[in-house]
Amino acid sequence: MGAALEKPQEGTPVVVKLGTKSLKQALDKLTRVVPGRPSDPVLAHVALTPTYGALVLAASDGERDLELSIPADATPGPTRLVPAALLQRVAGSIAASEVTLTVTEDRLAVAGGGFQTELYLMEAGEELPLDFEGEPLLTAPANAIAGVFEPVLYAVSNEEYRAIFRGAQLEVHPDRLRAVASDGFRLALAERELPEGIVVTLPKEAEEAADAEDAEDAEETRAAPEEPFAFVTPKRSLIELLRLLPPGGAPVELRHRRGRLVVVTEDVRYATALLEGVYPDYRRPIPDEFVAVAEVEAKPLREALRRVLVLADAANARVDLAFEEGRVRLVGEGDYGRGEEVVELASYQGEPLTVVLNGRYLDDALQPVGATARLELSGPVSPMVVRDTGDVGYLAVVVPMRV
Amino acid sequence: MGAALEKPQEGTPVVVKLGTKSLKQALDKLTRVVPGRPSDPVLAHVALTPTYGALVLAASDGERDLELSIPADATPGPTRLVPAALLQRVAGSIAASEVTLTVTEDRLAVAGGGFQTELYLMEAGEELPLDFEGEPLLTAPANAIAGVFEPVLYAVSNEEYRAIFRGAQLEVHPDRLRAVASDGFRLALAERELPEGIVVTLPKEAEEAADAEDAEDAEETRAAPEEPFAFVTPKRSLIELLRLLPPGGAPVELRHRRGRLVVVTEDVRYATALLEGVYPDYRRPIPDEFVAVAEVEAKPLREALRRVLVLADAANARVDLAFEEGRVRLVGEGDYGRGEEVVELASYQGEPLTVVLNGRYLDDALQPVGATARLELSGPVSPMVVRDTGDVGYLAVVVPMRV
């Protein structure tokens, strides 16, 4: 009997019972990966594979592959392809808390409450291009990975220009993770230490990558082992990854192979193509000497920025910030009027100084900051560094406007 | 001093203080009327007029005019035109609970909390084409007006074809209001009695309109006084009107003049252009003899309809309803599968009967129904009448498909 279950006979209906809510949630995640107008019709489908005690669902858009496992009353059966959007709508319409899937050669019957529906399956033989292979890199707590990617997401470029900026770079150091994003006018950087005992396996490619970087920049002559292993993940893959990470410190395995990142959690496997090319050296534009330093509550400063931005020039979002002892005056002026507001500073060290910059960039840079921001000013036309006084791992740079 | 206040001197700043929330709410209502890309730039503005104890705000898209009055610490001043979208964004950004508007010849200063902004005004001399003139028709409770328009809104056509169907007809009878909407394939009708003591003044035009109707249809030879006064309001004006009506039974005055409806509440004046043309006679398609009658809980029937609709033919939303003693079986079938569900009937009188119709139309027709729907069947290819057992004023007709 065991053998019969291992290899179910073709033609025998496979029955899977599972919670409607977990099916809906899985389909909501999967259909975000399913392309709207796929080049290959097979990509418009989700793959359903019953296993012992679980239903495995998968989808792919050719660049991103996602596989989820949800608890189910099931025994192993063959993989079937079901139209993704339709199955989502059917599942979404079911009010009963439990749903029964009955899979035959060419039909998927979905039953819940008094409702009974049959979906026509894709012909057997077709399959999704799923690929979750990769060399193990490290297994880290989910919040360490989210903690470096989330704060830099805003700074990833949406411009076609300089394709490498359309992703965030993750650097895997032996003892910490660092993520960097930039669009050339501003930069965000977040760093988290890895808990002790985590083993990082740098792939062979790391040395090649380090060599390539040395070749790019002859000034850098450090030994290869000191270089972190780095790769650049496209923005929309990153947004998806952040949605798929489990909450808290649950373990997440990162795997890598040339041009591809694989993320594995307890019930999810997610693979994404990486961006090709070398990320520019971002350390040089970060100033390390300052003429003035202000500390200010982040929330009131952001709110004031948004108010003056309403009137600011729509094209460049110019805001003038005049810093002096105890306060900063924000002014935005455009074709339709002028907005002005004074915000109290918690402290200010330095001479009075006016900086002119894109107000939206500063608003973005303050977004990951908790209670109090530290603004390090290096002059009216030099980059401003934004830090979080409660988080040494976060840093942002905003380049002033040339006025 | 009184005289000075009545006619404030040009050049003297006028100061108005008011609640930020009521300003925001007023601007949210007004900007729904402001056109996105106005043919005349003046229409992109709201008119602000300070009066004793109130600020009057107005907007127009040339077809719909809206004027709102909100309590304010104010004295009369000239009308000024402010860019609508910008003022909305400025007001929306203010966190302080009170806002001060200071109006000079060419500027509007908006101050709240530490924030201070100046908006450039439109040149004096320009004005919005506001027109709230009309002959009083009747003053009715708001819920009587909402009670006839809301239940029929779904049946108003969105098609270019037969322009008159793109509005709902309101009939003003001496003792009641009736609204009718149709797109040729389905019809909705709602009626509310007017409370005693309400005086309806039929305008002179009513007779002309009745004459016109007689001319259209020689069979109708009733005397003019029996004909209700009727006009057709475009859908989007109607949606706006429903949003602007006060809650409960607050009095609402309807005014009319050729081609125009004016609605006046305590703090709102709203005028809209009406649709031209004669609404078709809708009484003939309503069957008054039935071969079977079903009563059924509206909510479970709608939910079942929606589930089978997922699989139904996307083009015509065909659903087969097989009625028999105690139950109705719903089946929807399309290119990707088949959905089926059985719904219990509260009662059924008649022989078993199958009706084939657009499931979305039936779903819509059930929308205004409270607990229990009464479905009156006149045969497999004859119109189905949908009623609410708890509301004699509502009636819908759905025409079956020819299969």
Side-chain angles (χ1 to χ4, degrees):
Chain A
M1 184 186 159
L5 278 174
E6 297 274 323
K7 281 204 166 187
Q9 284 178 283
E10 290 287 334
T12 314
V14 178
V15 178
V16 179
K17 287 185 184 169
L18 71 168
T20 311
K21 197 176 161 195
S22 58
L23 177 62
K24 284 179 191 175
Q25 287 173 341
L27 289 169
D28 288 348
K29 287 175 183 159
L30 286 163
T31 48
R32 283 204 302 266
V33 169
V34 173
R37 293 173 180 206
S39 48
D40 180 349
V42 75
L43 299 180
H45 294 72
V46 289
L48 304 185
T49 314
T51 63
Y52 287 113
L55 179 67
V56 177
L57 302 95
S60 172
D61 66 0
E63 292 203 350
R64 298 174 299 167
D65 305 337
L66 174 59
E67 185 189 271
L68 305 169
S69 173
I70 53 178
D73 179 357
T75 51
T79 297
R80 298 295 189 203
L81 294 178
V82 192
L86 203 64
L87 182 59
Q88 186 186 28
R89 286 177 60 206
V90 168
S93 78
I94 291 175
S97 64
E98 199 178 60
V99 59
T100 303
L101 309 179
T102 307
V103 189
T104 59
E105 200 114 359
D106 61 346
R107 303 277 170 101
L108 169 69
V110 183
F115 178 61
Q116 168 81 31
T117 185
E118 282 192 343
L119 299 168
Y120 308 147
L121 298 175
M122 189 142 196
E123 283 169 45
E126 296 277 2
E127 54 184 78
L128 291 178
L130 304 172
D131 182 357
F132 300 105
E133 296 301 309
E135 296 295 317
L137 196 58
L138 81 162
T139 298
N143 49 15
I145 298 171
V148 294
F149 277 137
E150 254 163 18
V152 307
L153 199 59
Y154 74 82
V156 178
S157 173
N158 296 314
E159 303 291 329
E160 292 293 331
Y161 171 74
R162 293 191 82 177
I164 196 75
F165 280 149
R166 302 184 69 190
Q169 166 156 280
L170 182 71
E171 298 174 13
V172 181
H173 297 255
D175 59 344
R176 62 193 200 282
L177 298 177
R178 172 188 279 190
V180 184
S182 176
D183 62 3
F185 301 100
R186 36 106 171 246
L187 174 148
L189 182 156
E191 209 169 82
R192 292 277 172 266
E193 285 189 18
L194 289 171
E196 283 194 34
I198 288 187
V199 179
V200 175
T201 313
L202 292 190
K204 290 177 202 153
E205 285 180 61
E207 288 170 45
E208 295 168 35
D211 288 350
E213 226 173 86
D214 286 349
E216 283 277 315
D217 185 345
E219 283 179 80
E220 300 230 22
T221 50
R222 292 178 234 174
E226 283 182 29
E227 284 295 325
F229 178 63
F231 51 85
V232 182
T233 311
K235 186 175 189 176
R236 72 179 192 150
S237 296
L238 210 51
I239 292 170
E240 216 45 61
L241 189 160
L242 287 168
R243 282 178 167 152
L244 293 168
L245 285 177
V252 176
E253 185 189 343
L254 301 185
R255 298 177 191 166
H256 178 270
R257 76 166 200 265
R258 197 173 263 283
R260 206 157 172 85
L261 172 69
V262 181
V263 181
V264 181
T265 76
E266 196 193 347
D267 48 13
V268 173
R269 292 199 296 173
Y270 176 64
T272 172
L274 298 172
L275 289 181
E276 285 176 24
V278 175
Y279 207 79
D281 180 18
Y282 57 85
R283 279 155 289 197
R284 271 176 297 185
I286 304 178
D288 47 13
E289 284 184 17
F290 309 104
V291 300
V293 176
E295 289 196 355
V296 56
E297 278 185 68
K299 192 163 172 270
L301 179 57
R302 291 189 78 192
E303 288 172 355
L305 264 171
R306 286 178 199 173
R307 282 188 284 267
V308 300
L309 274 168
V310 174
L311 273 298
D313 190 296
N316 62 18
R318 171 181 170 162
V319 174
D320 292 34
L321 293 103
F323 289 90
E324 59 178 78
E325 181 66 37
R327 57 188 222 162
V328 55
R329 177 183 304 272
L330 287 64
V331 177
E333 185 161 13
D335 293 342
Y336 302 100
R338 182 179 192 277
E340 179 175 329
E341 187 159 348
V342 172
V343 177
E344 274 181 40
L345 298 178
S347 72
Y348 186 70
Q349 290 151 35
E351 295 296 308
L353 177 67
T354 296
V355 182
V356 179
L357 43 70
N358 181 318
R360 274 192 287 270
Y361 286 178
L362 181 55
D363 183 26
D364 286 343
L366 291 164
Q367 180 193 302
V369 174
T372 307
R374 182 180 161 91
L375 308 177
E376 299 172 341
L377 313 174
S378 47
V381 294
S382 302
M384 176 195 283
V385 174
V386 178
R387 292 182 185 272
D388 183 344
T389 62
D391 176 7
V392 292
Y394 176 70
L395 175 153
V397 179
V398 181
V399 179
M401 286 179 180
R402 314 229 168 251
V403 286
Chain B
M1 183 185 160
L5 278 174
E6 297 273 322
K7 282 202 168 193
Q9 284 178 284
E10 291 289 332
T12 314
V14 178
V15 178
V16 179
K17 287 185 185 171
L18 71 168
T20 311
K21 197 175 160 195
S22 59
L23 178 62
K24 283 180 191 176
Q25 288 173 342
L27 290 168
D28 287 348
K29 286 175 184 158
L30 286 162
T31 48
R32 282 204 302 266
V33 170
V34 173
R37 294 172 178 206
S39 49
D40 180 350
V42 75
L43 299 179
H45 294 73
V46 288
L48 303 185
T49 314
T51 64
Y52 287 113
L55 178 67
V56 177
L57 302 96
S60 172
D61 66 0
E63 292 204 349
R64 297 174 299 165
D65 304 338
L66 174 60
E67 185 189 89
L68 305 169
S69 173
I70 53 178
D73 180 357
T75 51
T79 298
R80 298 294 190 203
L81 295 178
V82 192
L86 204 63
L87 182 58
Q88 186 185 28
R89 286 177 60 206
V90 167
S93 79
I94 291 175
S97 63
E98 200 178 59
V99 60
T100 304
L101 309 179
T102 308
V103 189
T104 59
E105 199 116 0
D106 61 345
R107 303 279 171 101
L108 168 71
V110 183
F115 178 62
Q116 168 82 34
T117 185
E118 281 191 344
L119 298 169
Y120 307 147
L121 298 175
M122 190 142 196
E123 283 170 44
E126 296 276 2
E127 54 185 76
L128 291 179
L130 304 172
D131 182 356
F132 301 104
E133 295 303 309
E135 296 297 316
L137 197 58
L138 82 164
T139 298
N143 49 15
I145 298 170
V148 294
F149 278 137
E150 254 165 17
V152 307
L153 199 59
Y154 74 82
V156 178
S157 174
N158 296 313
E159 304 290 329
E160 293 292 332
Y161 170 74
R162 294 191 80 178
I164 195 75
F165 281 149
R166 301 183 71 190
Q169 167 156 279
L170 182 71
E171 297 175 13
V172 181
H173 297 255
D175 58 344
R176 63 195 199 280
L177 298 177
R178 172 188 279 189
V180 183
S182 175
D183 62 4
F185 301 101
R186 37 109 170 245
L187 175 148
L189 183 157
E191 209 170 81
R192 292 275 172 267
E193 283 189 19
L194 289 171
E196 282 192 35
I198 289 186
V199 179
V200 175
T201 313
L202 293 190
K204 291 178 203 152
E205 283 180 62
E207 288 168 48
E208 294 168 37
D211 289 347
E213 228 174 84
D214 286 347
E216 281 278 313
D217 185 346
E219 284 179 77
E220 299 231 21
T221 50
R222 292 178 234 175
E226 284 182 30
E227 284 295 322
F229 178 61
F231 50 85
V232 182
T233 312
K235 186 174 187 176
R236 73 180 192 149
S237 297
L238 209 51
I239 292 169
E240 217 44 61
L241 190 161
L242 287 168
R243 281 176 166 152
L244 293 168
L245 285 178
V252 176
E253 185 191 343
L254 301 185
R255 297 178 192 165
H256 179 270
R257 76 167 200 264
R258 199 172 262 283
R260 208 158 169 85
L261 172 70
V262 182
V263 181
V264 181
T265 76
E266 196 191 347
D267 48 12
V268 173
R269 291 200 295 172
Y270 176 65
T272 172
L274 297 173
L275 289 181
E276 284 175 25
V278 175
Y279 207 79
D281 179 18
Y282 56 86
R283 277 155 289 196
R284 270 175 297 186
I286 304 178
D288 48 12
E289 284 184 20
F290 309 104
V291 299
V293 176
E295 290 196 358
V296 55
E297 277 185 68
K299 192 162 172 271
L301 179 57
R302 290 189 79 192
E303 289 171 355
L305 264 171
R306 285 176 199 174
R307 283 188 283 266
V308 301
L309 274 167
V310 173
L311 272 297
D313 190 296
N316 62 18
R318 170 181 171 164
V319 174
D320 292 34
L321 294 104
F323 289 91
E324 59 176 79
E325 180 67 39
R327 57 189 223 163
V328 55
R329 177 183 304 272
L330 286 65
V331 177
E333 186 161 13
D335 293 342
Y336 302 99
R338 181 178 193 277
E340 180 176 329
E341 186 159 348
V342 171
V343 177
E344 273 183 40
L345 298 178
S347 72
Y348 186 69
Q349 290 150 33
E351 294 295 308
L353 178 66
T354 296
V355 181
V356 179
L357 42 70
N358 182 317
R360 275 193 287 271
Y361 285 178
L362 181 55
D363 183 26
D364 286 344
L366 291 164
Q367 181 192 301
V369 174
T372 306
R374 181 180 161 92
L375 309 177
E376 299 172 339
L377 313 175
S378 48
V381 294
S382 303
M384 178 196 280
V385 174
V386 178
R387 292 182 185 272
D388 183 344
T389 61
D391 175 8
V392 293
Y394 176 69
L395 174 151
V397 178
V398 180
V399 179
M401 287 179 179
R402 312 228 170 253
V403 287

